[in-house]
Amino acid sequence: MKPPRSALPLPRYVERKPTGAGWAHFFHVPTWAKRTGCPLHSEALGLDYAAAVKRAEEILLPAFDAWRTGDTSTATTPAIAAVGTLDWMFAEYRADRRYSKLDPKSKRNHEVGFKLVGGYILKDGTRLAPDGDRCGADR
């Protein structure tokens, strides 16, 4: 008889590492894929198990598999906000443990605020955040 698992299962190319704040999750693009020109990059997925698995299974792995099979119609690189932008700041806050500890109603209120601020239209007709309609709410 097998002993019970001590940790929850992780998707392919995702690993768990201990940090001072808890167990962090990371997506690693294999070395062979990097050498052959994979457009994806390794990234930290945060401390939240459910959010890490969701991002890996819904965004990163489908994009990786599409690249690997040469399916250019579905191969998309995940939307990653440029460092220093408002969307990047929102993403950084979402990855923080303080955000993950919020109750669902507070998270929903935060997302409404992100959408409101990110969707603000400036005098020149551009949005305050380049991706203001979504502001990463579906990530």
Side-chain angles (χ1 to χ4, degrees):
M1 181 174 200
K2 286 174 102 176
R5 289 186 67 95
S6 60
L8 296 171
L10 293 170
R12 295 174 291 145
Y13 308 118
V14 175
E15 63 183 10
R16 177 184 300 115
K17 293 181 182 180
T19 64
W23 289 93
H25 302 87
F26 299 88
F27 176 78
H28 291 289
V29 177
T31 305
W32 64 265
K34 289 179 192 176
R35 288 184 188 140
T36 56
C38 180
L40 294 174
H41 300 286
S42 298
E43 66 177 77
L45 299 174
L47 299 173
D48 183 22
Y49 171 80
V53 169
K54 182 178 179 181
R55 178 154 175 83
E57 289 181 344
E58 294 179 7
I59 297 172
L60 299 170
L61 288 174
F64 180 76
D65 291 338
W67 168 80
R68 195 174 54 132
T69 59
D71 184 5
T72 58
S73 62
T74 59
T76 59
T77 55
I80 299 172
V83 175
T85 63
L86 192 57
D87 283 337
W88 170 80
M89 185 177 70
F90 292 157
E92 288 291 309
Y93 178 64
R94 282 186 195 96
D96 191 87
R97 69 175 169 74
R98 291 171 287 192
Y99 179 79
S100 64
K101 287 184 176 184
L102 292 174
D103 62 281
K105 184 177 179 183
S106 295
K107 283 184 182 180
R108 197 169 41 251
N109 287 338
H110 282 68
E111 292 300 328
V112 168
F114 296 158
K115 188 173 181 178
L116 181 68
V117 172
Y120 182 79
I121 299 179
L122 303 171
K123 288 182 181 179
D124 65 358
T126 61
R127 295 186 181 275
L128 185 59
D131 199 9
D133 286 329
R134 295 178 303 141
C135 282
D138 57 334
R139 289 183 204 155

